[in-house]
Amino acid sequence: MIEADALIIHLNPLQEALQRGGDRDWRGVLTAIEATASALPVPVVVKEVGAGLSVTVARQLIEAGVAMLDVAGAGGTSWAAVEGARAATPQAREVAMAFADWGIPPPKRCARCIRRCRIRRSSPPAASLTASMRLKRCV
């Protein structure tokens, strides 16, 4: 066994939906995450790497025992655009590119999740929240 400090689960349903051969059957995912969070002795972190987590999904994940959410969102790598570039047909490319700029920017997503999921700075919080994002200028 490895001695991990946490388990990070990456979710990217938009890319899966657009990807040739992508997994489009997400039934039972929340139940599996809840079972994982209950079974592990370390915190479970969920990161959405495509378009951000909706407030509804964020609440469900917190209720399922997830210790930290990374709401990410639009503005970084567009996995829809990646799938558009990989598309086998013009039609598949057009569908994927329709979602290339889709999603909510992380600062707005963070603010909404904090307000609507009642994530507070008080201790102990039900869950922690972060929003990974790209920097426009690194120099």
Side-chain angles (χ1 to χ4, degrees), residues 16-113:
E16 291 291 337
L18 298 171
Q19 190 175 62
R20 184 177 36 174
D23 186 350
R24 295 176 183 97
D25 183 359
W26 304 307
R27 290 175 291 186
V29 169
L30 184 60
T31 301
I33 290 171
E34 184 173 19
T36 301
S38 295
L40 291 180
V42 296
V44 170
V45 179
V46 171
K47 174 181 174 120
E48 202 289 335
V49 295
L53 290 171
S54 71
V55 172
T56 301
V57 171
R59 279 187 187 144
Q60 290 173 332
L61 290 166
I62 291 167
E63 290 170 6
V66 170
M68 179 178 230
L69 301 174
D70 183 338
V71 296
T77 301
S78 170
W79 293 106
V82 169
E83 292 307 323
R86 296 179 62 223
T89 67
Q91 181 184 19
R93 182 183 186 331
E94 186 177 345
V95 169
M97 295 311 290
F99 292 97
D101 294 324
W102 196 68
I104 298 175
K108 287 184 181 179
R109 175 64 61 208
C110 247
R112 286 181 184 164
C113 281

